[in-house]
Every structure is written in C-alpha cells, then in structure tokens.
Amino acid sequence: MLNFELLKKAQERLDSLTKPQGSLGELEEIAKRLFAIYGGNLHRTIKSKAIFVAAGDHGIVAEGVSAFPQEVTQQMILNFIAGGAAISVLARSVNAKLFVADFGVAGDEHKAPVHNLKVRPSTRNFLIEDAMTRSEATEAISRGRGLVEKLHYEHAFDLIALGEMGIGNTTSASAIIAALTHRPISEITGKGTGVSDTVLQKKILVLERALVLRKPDSQNAMDVLAKVGGYEIAGLVGMYLAAAANSIPCVIDGLISGAAALVAFRIEPSAKNYFFASHQSAEPGHRAVFEELQLHPLIHGKLRLGEASGAALAIPLIENAWKLFTEMATFQSAGVSDKK
Amino acid sequence: MLNFELLKKAQERLDSLTKPQGSLGELEEIAKRLFAIYGGNLHRTIKSKAIFVAAGDHGIVAEGVSAFPQEVTQQMILNFIAGGAAISVLARSVNAKLFVADFGVAGDEHKAPVHNLKVRPSTRNFLIEDAMTRSEATEAISRGRGLVEKLHYEHAFDLIALGEMGIGNTTSASAIIAALTHRPISEITGKGTGVSDTVLQKKILVLERALVLRKPDSQNAMDVLAKVGGYEIAGLVGMYLAAAANSIPCVIDGLISGAAALVAFRIEPSAKNYFFASHQSAEPGHRAVFEELQLHPLIHGKLRLGEASGAALAIPLIENAWKLFTEMATFQSAGVSDKK
C-alpha cells in the first residue's frame, strides 16, 4: 500500500500552493500518488522514462474478426524500430526510451533491438481451444516481469508506459474484460482498428460463443488470461506486476493494455496504486476497466491506435502534474491572500 | 476560411500513415487544421510558443460572489512574474514565453514585464450598472489585438494559448455565456474557484437579476460584452481576433477564456478556424461554449484554475498531433500491409 502519511502530507502541500484548493483536479490526485511512490522526495525529477510495446499474434483472427492481415504485427515491429510508427514519433517527442518485445508474434524470432521473449508463434484460436496453456501464460508473465526488472536495473526508471501491438488483440482483450467484469460482450466490444458493422456483429457472436465454450473462471484471472488472452497481454501483466513491485509508476494505454492492468490488479490488488490512466479510448470495454480500477483517464480523444500511443501522450500531463506539485509557490512564500 | 484543398490533402496524408484510419481520433482533426493554417508546409515546426494571461478586476465582487478577496488578482500577477504560479511552472515546462497583461486590475498601474494595457481599474458592478462603456470594451479589444500583433511581429508565433486572472470573472463569463447561448443561468453557473453551495446560490440569483436589469442583446456580442463582461475578457477577445487575422493557432483555456472565444466567434465567425480546445473544465458553462464552437476538448481533468493552465497542458498534445502528422511513415514507405 502507499504510505498514508505521505499521501496526507501531499494533500497539505497541494492545499498550500497558490491556487484554489482542488483546482488542479485530477492532476492533484496524480501528484499525490507520485509523491507517495517517490518516497516523499520533492527533489525527485521524472527523467528516466520508458515505453514498452509488447507484441503477439492471435489465433482468433482465423474467424475474420480483424480489419488487418496478421502479417501487420510483424511489419509494425519493424516500423517501431525504424522510427516511423506513431509510438516511435511519440517516444522521441516525450524523451522516453522505446522497448519492443515479441512475446508471441507469428513467424520467425526477432533480432535485437527487439527483445525476443517469444513463448510460441501466435496463440491458438480460442473459439476452438484455449488460447494458451496455463504454463505458457505463466511463462509470458514471467518474461514480461523479467524484462522490466532487468531494464529497470540498468535505467532506474522514474515512469514507464505499457502498450502493445497484435492484430486481433482487441477481440482477446474484450473477452478478458467481459469475463472478469461479468458484463455482456455486446457492451464491451468495439470496432478495434475499424472493422465494419457486419464484422463487429461477427466479432460479438464469436466472443459470445467462445466464452460459453471456454468457460473462463471469472474469479481466477490466470484461468481467464490463459483461455482467452494472448502472449503479449500476459507479458504486459508481468510488466505491470514488475512496475508495482519495484515502485515504478506505470501508465495504462488503451483497451488491451487496460485488460492486462485489470488482470494484474486481480492477481495483486495493491499493484493498482502504481497504475495511472492516460486516455479513454473509443473502445467501450475500456470504460469498464477504469470503473473497476477506479481511475479517471485524462485524455478523451477517441484514440484507438494502441502501441502505447495514448499512454505516451499522457506522459507530459503526468510530468506537469509533478512539476506543478514540486515547483509552485505557496500562499505564504508568494505573499498571496488565501480564501476569505 | 481554411483552404479546403489543404484540408483534403491533410486527410489523404492521415489515411496513408501507418495506423488504422481515424485511429488518432481528435488528434487527426487538430493536425488537419494545423496543416491548413500552416499553408500545407510539412516542414513547419512548432517552435515559437506563447502563453498570454490577461488580468482584470470585477465590480461584481461587491455582491460576495467569489471565494477570494479582490487583491488576489494583483498578488497573482506578481506571482506569475516571479515564476511561482501554476502557469509560470507550465510555461517553463512547455517552453512557451509567458506574457502577462493588465487590462483592468484594481489599483496602480503595473510595470514591465507586465504589459500595462489598463483601461480602467476594475469594471463597474453589473448588478447596478453596465460593467463597461461600449467604448471601453472596444478599447480593451483593440489593446488585446495590438498586443498580440506587436509580439507576433517580434516572435513569429507558431502557437499561442490564451488565459486570464481576475477575481470574480467566472461570474462575468457565466453571464456572457448565458446571454449569448440563451441558456438558463442555473445550467451555466458553477463554483468558480470553489465557493460554498450558499454562495453558489447567491451567485445564481445575482446573475439572474443582473441579466434582467442589464438586458444584454443576445444578437449583439459587443452589447453583451460591455454590459456584463470584463476588461481582461475584452482583451482576450482582441487576442483571439488577432490570432485569427494573423493565422496563429490559438488554444482556448477554461470558462473565461472560452467566453471570450465565443464573443470573438460571434464578432467574426471565421475566427473559430484558428481556435483549439484544450480541456473541459469543472464549470458547466464551459460545455455550452464548446457546443457552440463545435470543438472537443482533449483533456477531461476537472481543472478549474484558469491562468491558461489547461491550455498550457494541452500544448504538448497539439504539438504531438503535428509531429505524428509530419513524422510518421506511410504504409508504402514502411512496407506495411493496408486494410484487407
């Protein structure tokens, strides 16, 4: 748990700054948690930032649930590395290191700078059989956890953002969220990368049938993850758990990143103290994640790109919340009259 | 009007970038307009940024509608300059110059670096008489316009953000918005810097009575502005008009900045092509402004500070929209398969 005394001290400081009380809204909540996570150190600066993109492919694409062909996962990894993808542009812009990891992309193993953590090339089609075995899911979590811990040892992160790439993975993420939150598939499922209304209907039918067939146990996040999840989602779960275990604030991206955060929260509820919401995406299931995690995304931009792009966009907002908290003058120091 | 050919060209480029079509949501709308404003120049970068804070005092505070004493306007100006206010911190963070202008603060004239554009020390109490004469309102607009034009000549702005400081000015802004949008005061009025429920009720009664007494002509934005507005609000109107006339994208801040944008739009409807929304504040009247201007604020953070703080927080989002648009690879250049 976060240190209650530090949270209280942060609130006192917030109320002493030259602004009406509470007028920085959600930024005040962010600053408070950062203060507790950073051990009450007002001199801490957010310098070492990283963005992780976990990649994996999905057997469920055989059902025709995605707008893009599966080879795009592979191609986009090369685009991330070459610097032309949205997340490449944003990582440069927000001065964050970009780490790309393959947890289960179809096809050959990747070479550096891609981190090759492939458990298996693509999950199985979860309409027909479990997406992963339980031990594969555990292995992917462990590899995700190991990656963040190894890189944190090298770079001492102040903040990380977690996103993904994987054709078909909004289908998998929707299944996870529906199973864990007991919500109807039709309320949770959106158009992903932009399928037609007809494909959306098919996606909903596939998901409804798959949940009936796979019977994921909503009280058991590992069971849900293995049966309808994906390697990159499991990898992200490990990353969230590593962030929490190592007191690294971590920013949730879109639907898939949110589904992974929800699984991590169900495995280790206190992990959520380290989670920061970035944006409310166009995907309806995303809202269900934040209701469960009791987080309020700052950006409402109808984003639905993934790759950690929304999380990257929120990094300057989070940095500014911290700068306001640490750099603003107090009523006393600035000689400003407080409320009547 | 913005160049339609350039808007079309921007859409074509957006759809060629390595992302699902439309997946950058509101950022795509921002990039499109910037492309048209910047004359179709993909090599343009957003380097020269400025934040303007217009200050003024309000006679209506005599009715006890604000949580803070009037001298805070004066004191906060010194805090802006000294670097301790929220906007001082944010201006440094987003690498924008901060310009503070006094259009009607109670008390003595300010010295440099504050721009002394004072028309009169404080408006009159608009429960009793018109807040400004028509010629005073026109003069404040002209001074705001002149300030932006003079500084633009020196600094060649790529982007500006417009905010304010003035104890009592949410009352004035609510009156403007209610008058111009024909909405009931009770739907428009919020707690400003954080008044109690009792004071909020008083604020609503004062506003309802003032609108009956002043009879602002909803078809005449200058009449509304002079009767229930403020010097800093009029100054901002001039700044918005200057931005539009000089093709400078300008970012709207909170309720008061929004009310000024609405007045500018009513005076010169095409000006809105240059307006960019930043955040949706906690003030209910803010929503009415964006409905009228057909803009969608990116940040939903329950901010209610003013000073251009929300606009400043949105600057990195707008910059990133432009970087994504200009720096991302296309499907062709990256060798990524497009939609099936």
Side-chain angles (χ1 to χ4, degrees), chain A residues 87-158:
Chain A
I87 197 57
S88 323
V89 173
L90 292 173
R92 287 196 296 271
S93 172
V94 304
N95 196 23
K97 289 189 177 64
L98 176 62
F99 299 107
V100 181
D102 169 5
F103 286 91
V105 178
D108 296 341
E109 302 203 332
H110 282 95
K111 285 187 222 122
V114 177
H115 292 267
N116 175 29
L117 306 176
K118 203 193 297 272
V119 176
R120 183 178 184 272
S122 176
T123 55
R124 299 165 191 89
N125 179 351
F126 67 77
L127 187 63
I128 297 169
E129 58 189 320
D130 290 355
M132 304 180 268
T133 65
R134 189 69 78 89
S135 71
E136 284 170 351
T138 306
E139 180 61 26
I141 290 178
S142 159
R143 290 183 188 186
R145 192 168 182 143
L147 180 69
V148 165
E149 290 186 335
K150 180 187 127 207
L151 291 170
H152 181 51
Y153 186 77
E154 288 171 26
H155 300 283
F157 299 127
D158 298 306

Side-chain angles (χ1 to χ4, degrees), chain B residues 13 50 57 64 92-93 98 117 120 124 158 181 207 210 224 235 285 299 316 323:
Chain B
R13 178 170 174 84
D57 273 308
R92 287 197 295 272
S93 172
L98 177 61
L117 306 176
R120 182 177 185 274
R124 298 166 192 88
D158 298 307
T181 68
L207 278 168
V224 172
I299 301 172
K323 285 183 187 169

